[in-house]
């Protein structure tokens, strides 16, 4: 038998994953080599409004959650935590980290950002406490009988195009992220999803004895023959071996 993974374990994975997700976004912003589609939109909105990047991330997530209503999607605890935590961490890391000018360092930041984002995706999805707002939009679309591949493509292209028009950064990092994040997240997810804990089975007890019926207590294992039933047609045909 197996027992479900304990809630504290899942909460640790959730919040660690969300925090790392925010770190990954901030590193991509500081690399200035191109962002993924949603963050191109976030950066474009931040450029136009003057709002901090993280606040735009939070605001966009709230708007996406409103799109869950016609799709009849219900947010989980992890969904709400995603809305709040990721944006706060992004603003915190951007405040602490200056933008480097050295190209090799910027490339290293981009590579680290992609790896950290994939790791974070495995952690917070593996926690099983609710998808992120954008992930839920995809699953809700698929639940209505539509092609998730078509829906994701249309949404990503729309978001990317809007972000470019608003001034978001598109570059080699956009292409590398798009090609790498799927395979990396696919590798991390099963390895970071906690396995159910196996319950120890209790020993079986006989009706007329207080000792467990295991091999050691069996009369045959001690080298002596078990008494034959008088009703058995093969009574006395076997000897102790």
């Amino acid at each position: 038998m197996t027992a479900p993974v304990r809630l504290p374990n899942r909460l640790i994975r959730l919040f660690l994953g969300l925090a790392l997700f925010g770190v990954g976004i901030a590193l991509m912003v500081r690399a200035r080599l191109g962002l993924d589609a949603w963050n191109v939109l976030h950066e474009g909105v931040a450029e136009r409004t003057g709002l901090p990047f993280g606040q735009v991330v939070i605001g966009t997530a709230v708007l996406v959650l409103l799109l869950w209503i016609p799709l009849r999607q219900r947010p989980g605890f992890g969904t709400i935590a995603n809305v709040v935590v990721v944006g706060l961490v992004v603003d915190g890391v951007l405040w602490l980290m200056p933008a480097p000018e050295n190209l090799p360092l910027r490339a290293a930041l981009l590579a680290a950002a992609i790896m950290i984002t994939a790791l974070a995706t495995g952690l917070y999805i593996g926690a099983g406490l609710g998808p992120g707002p954008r992930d839920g939009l995809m699953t809700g679309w698929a639940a209505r009988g539509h092609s998730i591949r078509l829906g994701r493509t249309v949404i990503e292209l729309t978001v990317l195009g809007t972000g470019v028009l608003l001034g978001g950064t598109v570059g080699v990092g956009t292409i590398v992220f798009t090609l790498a994040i799927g395979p990396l997240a696919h590798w991390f997810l099963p390895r970071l999803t906690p396995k159910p804990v196996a319950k120890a089975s209790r020993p079986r007890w006989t009706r007329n004895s207080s000792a467990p019926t295991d091999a050691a207590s069996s009369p045959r294992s001690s080298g002596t023959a078990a008494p034959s039933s008088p009703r058995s047609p093969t009574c006395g045909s076997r000897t102790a071996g």
Side-chain angles (χ1 to χ4, degrees), residues 141-226:
W141 174 269
R144 304 294 290 176
H146 303 293
S147 168
I148 191 169
R149 181 180 300 177
L150 175 62
R152 188 177 189 92
T153 301
V154 171
I155 291 174
E156 294 281 332
L157 289 177
T158 302
V159 166
L160 179 62
T162 305
V164 170
L165 292 175
L166 293 174
T169 303
V170 176
V172 65
T174 307
I175 300 173
V176 174
F177 183 93
T178 303
L179 295 176
I181 192 62
L184 286 173
H186 180 78
W187 189 87
F188 276 115
L189 184 57
R191 289 164 175 79
L192 296 175
T193 300
K195 305 294 187 297
V197 180
K199 290 183 178 179
S201 59
R202 295 182 179 181
R204 297 181 179 179
W205 301 85
T206 60
R207 294 182 180 179
N208 300 323
S209 173
S210 60
T213 57
D214 55 14
S217 62
S218 172
R220 293 183 183 272
S221 66
S222 62
T224 59

Side-chain angles (χ1 to χ4, degrees), residues 3-43:
V5 180
R6 294 181 178 179
L7 184 59
N9 185 320
R10 297 165 67 191
L11 288 174
I12 291 172
R13 290 171 180 269
L14 171 69
F15 284 106
L16 178 59
L18 295 179
L20 288 175
F21 203 88
V23 171
I25 293 174
L27 292 181
M28 283 194 73
V29 173
R30 286 293 183 244
R32 304 193 318 282
L33 292 172
L35 302 169
D36 64 284
W38 282 98
N39 286 311
V40 170
L41 175 63
H42 297 151
E43 187 180 51

Side-chain angles (χ1 to χ4, degrees), residues 79-174:
T79 309
I80 305 303
N82 186 303
V83 172
V84 178
V85 174
V86 174
L88 294 178
V89 172
V90 170
D91 277 344
V93 175
L94 290 177
W95 181 74
L96 291 171
M97 177 181 290
E101 298 297 333
N102 183 278
L103 183 58
L105 180 55
R106 291 163 59 195
L109 285 181
L110 174 64
I114 295 173
M115 289 296 296
I116 290 173
T117 301
L119 171 65
T121 301
L123 282 170
Y124 88 79
I125 292 181
L129 292 172
R134 298 156 190 83
D135 297 324
L137 188 63
M138 295 298 101
T139 56
W141 174 269
R144 304 294 290 176
H146 303 293
S147 168
I148 191 169
R149 181 180 300 177
L150 175 62
R152 188 177 189 92
T153 301
V154 171
I155 291 174
E156 294 281 332
L157 289 177
T158 302
V159 166
L160 179 62
T162 305
V164 170
L165 292 175
L166 293 174
T169 303
V170 176
V172 65
T174 307

